[in-house]
Amino acid sequence: MLSSDTHRVLSDLRDQLYQLADIGDDSHDPVLREEILDSLILSLMALSGLTHESMLRSLDWRFLEMGRRIERALLTGNLLRSTLVTVLDDDAEEQVLETLMLSSETLNTYRRRYPKGAKISTALPIMMFDESNPRSLIYQINALEEHLASLSTPTRTHTLTPPQRALLHAASELRLAHSAELSTIESQGSRQKLDDLLALVLVQMTHCADRISEAHFEQSRKPHQLIFANTGG
């Protein structure tokens, strides 16, 4: 059911993964490894673009999108929690913030808004609360709410499903939060309010994923990894 272009991209991904396996983790040619990784990233971007532009907007696409949004929210939340809760000195923290925004494609946007350097009080709104930023936490939740609404059958009582309640809880806490308070350094050199908020969001996103799985997927079969056969091509 995959298009010829998609098959071509998957073949490229397979070849690049085999190349990485062949050179191993102890490769003495870091330039070659970097070139393969660059090609791998481009192939993944191509696959993402094909999926976004070519798939019919059916239930299949909605479930794929929900999985993508949940995964991105969990990855972003864990990344922010592991790097920004513990307080660093000013120079190190600025480097960490710029690296975080660079990895999430938001650094250029931030620099246009705040050209004087990265600060956590101005970086957090873009990475967590900006509803126009497709990499922010709140954007993932908004997209999930839209997809779940399309799956739900309207009722007279307008009762929310368990996944919707989890998303509402996370979204409400994010919208009520204030970046200045989250940036505050508390005792023992940490940002406890930021840690608490991110922990809550991560728990609710995991809960949402579990409830979606229970409601819409067969639970008797265990998931298995997709493995490409090496045809020597």
Side-chain angles (χ1 to χ4, degrees), residues 1-232:
M1 296 177 65
L2 300 177
S3 69
S4 58
D5 287 336
T6 304
H7 276 293
R8 188 179 299 113
V9 173
L10 289 175
S11 295
D12 289 342
L13 282 169
R14 176 201 61 196
D15 294 340
Q16 290 149 4
L17 290 172
Y18 283 137
Q19 287 177 323
L20 284 176
D22 288 340
I23 65 174
D25 294 333
D26 300 327
S27 172
H28 297 292
D29 191 347
V31 175
L32 175 61
R33 187 176 184 82
E34 185 175 348
E35 289 176 352
I36 298 173
L37 288 171
D38 285 343
S39 298
L40 183 64
I41 291 173
L42 288 174
S43 296
L44 289 170
M45 293 172 64
L47 182 61
S48 177
L50 281 168
T51 301
H52 184 75
E53 295 297 330
S54 303
M55 281 191 71
L56 296 178
R57 271 29 179 182
S58 60
L59 286 178
D60 298 346
W61 177 80
R62 288 199 179 275
F63 280 111
L64 181 64
E65 275 292 296
M66 284 192 288
R68 178 181 296 173
R69 298 305 173 187
I70 290 171
E71 183 181 67
R72 180 168 289 173
L74 292 173
L75 288 172
T76 300
N78 278 305
L79 186 59
L80 294 175
R81 194 180 184 195
S82 62
T83 55
L84 299 181
V85 170
T86 300
V87 179
L88 305 174
D89 63 72
D90 291 344
D91 291 339
E93 189 158 87
E94 183 174 349
Q95 291 180 351
V96 168
L97 285 169
E98 290 189 353
T99 302
L100 286 173
M101 289 186 286
L102 181 63
S103 67
S104 61
E105 303 290 344
T106 56
L107 182 58
N108 289 335
T109 299
Y110 181 86
R111 284 176 172 171
R112 286 197 298 270
R113 296 181 185 179
Y114 309 100
K116 294 184 179 181
K119 296 181 179 180
I120 190 168
S121 59
T122 49
L124 284 179
I126 291 180
M127 293 187 286
M128 294 180 64
F129 314 129
D130 191 338
E131 298 190 2
S132 66
N133 176 15
R135 297 297 188 98
S136 70
L137 284 175
I138 195 65
Y139 187 97
Q140 314 314 313
I141 294 174
N142 290 343
L144 279 165
E145 287 178 330
E146 178 183 341
H147 291 310
L148 284 174
S150 71
L151 300 178
S152 302
T153 302
T155 63
R156 292 183 178 180
T157 58
H158 300 288
T159 302
L160 295 177
T161 63
Q164 289 174 321
R165 287 199 295 270
L167 291 178
L168 179 60
H169 189 179
S172 298
E173 293 296 329
L174 281 172
R175 293 190 176 103
L176 290 172
H178 195 283
S179 58
E181 294 180 356
L182 299 178
S183 306
T184 301
I185 302 172
E186 300 182 30
S187 60
Q188 301 177 351
S190 66
R191 299 182 174 94
Q192 190 59 47
K193 290 183 179 180
L194 176 61
D195 188 38
D196 292 342
L197 176 60
L198 290 172
L200 182 146
V201 171
L202 291 170
V203 167
Q204 295 304 319
M205 295 304 297
T206 302
H207 182 72
C208 175
D210 291 342
R211 300 294 82 77
I212 291 173
S213 178
E214 291 173 0
H216 298 284
F217 293 95
E218 184 180 348
Q219 302 300 315
S220 59
R221 294 184 179 182
K222 295 182 179 180
H224 61 277
Q225 183 178 2
L226 179 64
I227 301 175
F228 292 108
N230 189 354
T231 61

